Amino acid sequence: MAVYAVVQVDVTDAEAYGEYAKLAGPAVAKFGGEFLARGGAVEVLEGTTRDRCVIVRFDDMTTANAFYHSDDYQEALSFARPASTRDYKFVEGV
């Protein structure tokens, strides 16, 4: 069953976050992930959001978790964590 990474981000240091982006994209590709949304316009109808929203599709929860915990993505996160405030979750599809 497909799994979606739903990520909402407020970037506080654009330069450092750029380093994250350079590493994160190849890590997503390595695990067969597909970007469905990546920082486009957001219209909030209810509730709240952050400045940047990203949705990535993975084949299944096992693959999504393998991606997130991989050395490649953890290296990317070493740039993202101090440069942003993030909400990151995996959601199973239907």
Side-chain angles (χ1 to χ4, degrees):
M1 176 180 297
V3 168
Y4 301 88
V6 178
V7 188
Q8 295 178 299
V9 184
D10 287 332
V11 175
T12 56
D13 180 341
E15 186 176 330
Y17 204 80
E19 293 301 314
Y20 161 78
K22 287 179 191 175
L23 297 170
V28 166
K30 182 175 179 178
F31 286 85
E34 175 187 6
F35 286 99
L36 302 178
R38 195 174 190 184
V42 175
E43 182 177 341
V44 177
L45 302 177
E46 296 183 27
T48 63
T49 191
R50 295 189 181 275
D51 290 336
R52 182 174 174 80
C53 295
V54 178
I55 301 171
V56 182
R57 181 192 181 282
F58 291 97
D59 286 341
D60 52 47
M61 191 67 79
T62 300
T63 303
N65 273 294
F67 152 75
Y68 188 87
H69 297 287
S70 70
D71 290 342
D72 292 338
Y73 192 64
Q74 290 301 305
E75 180 183 0
L77 281 178
S78 73
F79 293 97
R81 286 190 174 124
S84 63
T85 302
R86 301 156 43 95
D87 298 315
Y88 201 118
K89 58 198 69 78
F90 290 140
V91 180
E92 284 187 336
V94 294

